């Protein structure tokens, strides 16, 4: 349509949409990448430094430094962390204005001075690393000056990039370091001198330059850059269009498509606010178009976008921190996170379906109507094709590796490039989706087949990433490096290749456009990392405070006192802290703060209550509630972004979004008590399939109960029954323990005879008590694996435990170094108070039958009422 055909009303609508888009872009920039829009020299410096940061991160993540180590000196973690923070601090002062009234198009001279001074303090650690290593804990005056100034500028950079709350939290912890003697008696300590505090916080890797900044340097940056490049290439729009093509015609289809597209875009954007803006400008108007209220349309997008960080294989930045804090591989993190994330998204799709049923909403009209049989055949063909293709790739590469040896990576590279060229050549047969068309109104659903086929090459970098992580078992940083390199190649070549294959268009123009997109992606990735880089450094102040002052042990006693030793109350207390802190802290910083303080407390208190809580379960618990804070009123920024698009009340939108997210909020409580949801303790494939089926069913029933609707509107007693069934399917052991206890309590003096009778490779639980190395009395429950069958004394010695008997009491006489007993946390001279031996009992899964029978009664009742209606 020609511009002359537009009416004044159309012009007004377009102007309104443009103004809204500008406000949304400003909101994302203010929160994520910097609110300043610079031109001339300042803009050139900002772009150059951002580009240099991305190139530096790619260099240190690549294998090239090791290949060229004879020419270029290798950088150790001290150098890389220091440079990483230097870039982040410099860009924070340049990209983020000091105050709301500060200029947005220029950088005041004082900000340049602050940027250079802050960067110099960060680089001081790298430049003088050898001298600092020669005087550990004995800083000279120069060291203290740079450390003090560095902390001040880091806190100011934090205030600019992340807001006042994060800086205030760090200041509270710093105040405790210096003035701990004035704190309440329960947490008071003697306080640290300026020398000791600066040595710990700035001159060592215990504070600012600790694990958090190390993970940001080694892993997080590459994944954020990978996501930024995917977005610049047009993958975000592709995922959104595919979701609408596949789901848009179903009842309430735009909302279902919004959930799926937000889940897929979650691996591109680590920011829930950016996710809302990227997909919401496209999905929210369509949800309103088919009948969703403004609040519910915005709430669906908020719930879907905030959960995007939960979805493997590319999760939020906090997931990479788990690797270091829990001491497991990223593959293990993905495995544990997979089932809760999937059932959470399936439940949200079902919630949307129930909302559509209650309001009798329809979907968007499809371009081509297909029968159920055609859909089933197409689905089966796609699944069979994927299985065959996966088999060919897996076994084909396995054969290539066995035959080609060291040359196999080069062969793999050639095959990937060949697949890329073939898929780009194939894509020109279908219409281009455009790089960024989220803001365009969709009047008719795109056709599924052509839409999917138009961008299949976007999946290649994701496939490479997953292959490197799962099959090659590369480190997350190296896997992300190779995926990013392929993404860079795609960005630079996709446009000129399409012109070349189509034999029309300006090849030179498209070539330079591709290079501009590549540069923009590198710059965009760096600007998205400013907040994360500063957050992980500032969170190091909190971690450093914990390690310096020993407040972690005090927190255990304090929280135990508040909760009265009740694990559930303590979990509620932890969830509340996550939600409150999350109102002002980004997810990454929130996770570092709460997991540092609370994770050991939960594990310890669980052990005292006879519950062995895996550390990964506690960290996932904190991770989940840190993410949920983004849509928790009254300060849920994601809800404010969605409300701006939906033209709804932000508080009502946030409340509705949180109601949708109740399904996500209960999952952490459930997998603390039933670790099978994290795929821990799965014995075989049947056990896995049963766990997946019952978890999905339970979550769907919970969603139906909270929505008050299954087939028709539920009665109050049906809602209670649905909640009861859902709980039983999630945690059948709760009821089974009342009938068949899982273990029997045995007097400790009988431990040798009882251990001898146990089947091979059985675990026993010991309630032990003794004095720690710090002089504190410790009382906890530990799990000790027993190896193969042998005499009782020999089996205990194999586990590293030698015992002695004094009258009717049993003590640990010796613990073998690096044995299972030592790893379980047992120390010598501790007393064994009781012994729990597992008993042979019927499987807890028998509880599924009465639960499913109750479900059948509810279904029959509701179907009868629906037939009457």
């Amino acid at each position: 349509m020609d511009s002359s055909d537009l009416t004044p009303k159309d012009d007004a609508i377009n102007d309104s949409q443009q103004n809204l888009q500008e406000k949304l872009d400003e909101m994302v920039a203010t929160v994520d990448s910097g609110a300043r829009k610079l031109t001339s020299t300042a803009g050139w410096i900002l772009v150059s430094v951002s580009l240099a940061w991305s190139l530096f991160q790619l260099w240190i993540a690549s294998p090239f430094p090791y290949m060229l180590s004879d020419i270029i000196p290798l950088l150790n973690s001290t150098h890389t962390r220091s440079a990483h923070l230097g870039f982040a601090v410099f860009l924070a002062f340049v990209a983020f204005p000091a105050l709301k009234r500060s200029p947005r198009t220029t950088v005041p001279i004082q900000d340049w001075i602050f940027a250079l001074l802050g960067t110099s303090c960060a680089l001081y650690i790298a430049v003088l690393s050898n001298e600092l290593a020669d005087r550990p804990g004995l800083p000279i005056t120069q060291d203290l000056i740079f450390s003090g100034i560095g902390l001040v500028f880091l806190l100011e950079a934090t205030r600019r990039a992340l807001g006042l709350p994060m800086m205030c939290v760090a200041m509270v912890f710093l105040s405790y370091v210096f003035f701990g003697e004035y704190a309440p008696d329960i947490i008071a300590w003697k306080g640290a001198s300026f020398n000791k505090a600066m040595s710990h916080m700035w001159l060592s890797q215990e504070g600012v330059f600790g694990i958090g900044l190390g993970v940001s340097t080694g892993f997080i940056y590459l994944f954020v850059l990978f996501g930024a490049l995917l977005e610049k290439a047009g993958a975000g729009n592709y995922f959104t269009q595919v979701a609408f093509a596949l789901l848009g015609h179903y009842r309430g289809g735009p909302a279902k498509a919004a959930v799926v597209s937000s889940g897929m875009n979650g691996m591109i954007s680590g920011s829930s606010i950016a996710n809302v803006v990227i997909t919401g400008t496209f999905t929210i108007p369509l949800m309103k178009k088919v009948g969703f209220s403004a609040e519910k349309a915005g709430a669906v997008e908020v719930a879907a976008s905030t959960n995007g960080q939960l979805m493997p294989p590319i999760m939020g930045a906090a997931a990479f921190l788990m690797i270091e804090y829990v001491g497991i591989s990223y593959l293990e993190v993905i495995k544990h996170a997979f089932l809760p994330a999937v059932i959470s998204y399936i439940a949200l799709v079902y919630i949307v379906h129930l909302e559509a049923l209650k309001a009798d909403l329809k979907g968007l009209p499809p371009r081509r109507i297909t029968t159920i049989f055609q859909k089933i055949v197409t689905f089966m063909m796609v699944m069979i094709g994927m299985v065959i293709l996966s088999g060919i790739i897996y076994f084909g590469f396995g054969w290539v590796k066995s035959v080609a040896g060291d040359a196999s990576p080069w062969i793999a590279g050639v095959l990937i490039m060949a697949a890329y060229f073939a898929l780009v050549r194939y894509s020109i047969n279908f219409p281009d989706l455009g790089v960024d068309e989220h803001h365009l109104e969709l009047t008719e659903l795109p056709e599924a087949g052509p839409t999917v086929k138009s961008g299949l090459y976007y999946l290649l970098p994701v496939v490479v990433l997953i292959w490197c992580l799962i099959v090659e078992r590369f480190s997350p940083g190296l896997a992300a490096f190779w995926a990013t390199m392929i993404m860079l190649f795609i960005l630079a070549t996709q446009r000129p290749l399409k012109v070349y294959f189509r034999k029309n268009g300006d090849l030179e123009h498209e070539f330079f456009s591709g290079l501009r997109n590549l540069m923009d992606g590198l710059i965009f990735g760096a600007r998205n990392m400013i907040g994360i880089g500063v957050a992980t450094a500032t969170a190091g102040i909190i971690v450093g405070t914990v390690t310096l002052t020993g407040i972690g042990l005090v927190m255990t006693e304090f929280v135990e006192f508040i909760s009265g030793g009740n694990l559930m109350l303590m979990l509620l207390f932890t969830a509340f802290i996550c939600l409150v802190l999350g109102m002002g802290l980004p997810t990454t910083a929130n996770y570092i703060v709460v997991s540092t303080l609370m994770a050991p407390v939960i594990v310890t208190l669980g052990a005292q209550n006879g519950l062995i809580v895996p550390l990964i379960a506690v960290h996932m618990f904190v991770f989940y509630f840190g993410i949920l804070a983004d849509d928790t009123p009254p300060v849920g920024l994601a809800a404010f972004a969605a409300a701006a698009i939906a033209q709804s009340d932000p508080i009502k939108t946030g409340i509705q979004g949180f109601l949708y997210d109740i399904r996500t909020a209960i999952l952490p409580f459930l997998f603390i008590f039933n670790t099978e949801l994290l795929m821990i303790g799965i014995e075989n494939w049947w056990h896995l399939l049963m766990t997946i089926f019952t978890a999905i069913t339970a979550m769907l029933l919970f969603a139906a109960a909270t929505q008050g609707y299954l087939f028709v509107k539920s009665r109050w007693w049906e809602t209670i029954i649905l909640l009861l069934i859902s709980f039983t399917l999630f945690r059948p052991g709760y009821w089974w323990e009342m009938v068949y206890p899982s273990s029997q309590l045995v007097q400790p003096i009988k431990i040798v005879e009882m251990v001898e009778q146990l089947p091979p490779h059985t675990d026993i639980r010991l309630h032990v008590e003794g004095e720690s190395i710090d002089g504190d009395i410790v009382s906890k429950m530990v799990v000790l694996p027993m190896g193969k069958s042998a005499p009782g004394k020999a089996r205990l010695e194999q586990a590293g435990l030698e015992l002695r008997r004094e009258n009717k009491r049993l003590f640990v006489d010796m613990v073998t170094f690096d044995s299972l007993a030592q790893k379980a946390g047992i120390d010598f001279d501790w007393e064994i108070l009781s012994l729990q031996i597992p008993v042979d009992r019927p499987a807890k899964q028998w509880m599924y039958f009465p639960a499913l029978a109750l479900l059948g009664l509810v279904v029959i009742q509701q179907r009868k009422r629906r037939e009457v209606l």
Side-chain angles (χ1 to χ4, degrees), residues 192-303:
S193 66
F194 186 75
N195 287 19
K196 185 174 183 180
M198 291 304 103
S199 294
H200 195 81
M201 293 294 182
W202 197 264
L203 301 177
S204 73
Q205 292 192 352
E206 296 291 329
V208 170
F209 296 93
I211 291 175
L213 191 63
V215 174
S216 179
T217 306
F219 303 153
I220 297 174
Y221 194 103
L222 270 296
F223 281 88
V224 170
L225 179 60
F226 177 69
L229 294 172
L230 269 173
E231 175 60 29
K232 286 295 179 183
N237 186 50
Y238 170 71
F239 292 148
T240 302
Q241 295 276 0
V242 167
F244 271 85
L246 297 175
L247 299 170
H249 60 284
Y250 290 109
R251 186 185 291 270
K256 294 174 182 175
V259 174
V260 175
S261 63
S262 294
M264 291 190 292
N265 275 291
M267 73 178 184
I268 295 175
S269 171
S271 165
S272 57
I273 301 168
N275 202 352
V276 166
V277 172
I278 289 170
T279 58
T281 50
F282 185 79
T283 60
I284 290 174
L286 290 174
M287 285 188 263
K288 292 172 67 177
K289 184 176 181 179
V290 297
F292 279 88
S293 67
E295 281 78 16
K296 288 187 176 181
V300 168
E301 183 59 50
V302 168

Side-chain angles (χ1 to χ4, degrees), residues 20 24 27 273 276-277 280-281 284 288 293-302 636-655:
L20 173 62
L24 291 170
M27 179 183 290
I273 301 168
V276 166
V277 172
T281 50
I284 290 174
K288 292 172 67 177
S293 67
E295 281 78 16
K296 288 187 176 181
V300 168
E301 183 59 50
V302 168
L637 292 178
F640 277 81
I645 302 170
Q647 297 179 345
S648 62
D649 181 88
I651 300 298
K652 290 182 179 178
T653 302
I655 292 172

Side-chain angles (χ1 to χ4, degrees), residues 346-378:
I346 290 175
L348 185 54
V349 172
Y350 185 58
I351 287 172
V352 166
H353 178 71
L354 293 176
E355 290 280 19
L357 281 177
K358 288 191 286 186
D360 195 26
L361 305 180
K362 306 299 180 186
L364 292 172
R367 289 194 180 184
R368 186 163 59 92
I369 298 175
T370 55
T371 64
I372 293 294
F373 178 74
Q374 288 174 317
K375 292 177 182 177
I376 293 173
V377 170
T378 303

Side-chain angles (χ1 to χ4, degrees), residues 779-793:
S779 179
K780 62 181 180 179
M781 190 75 69
V782 298
V783 175
L784 189 62
M786 293 288 102
K788 58 186 179 181
S789 296
K793 186 177 180 181

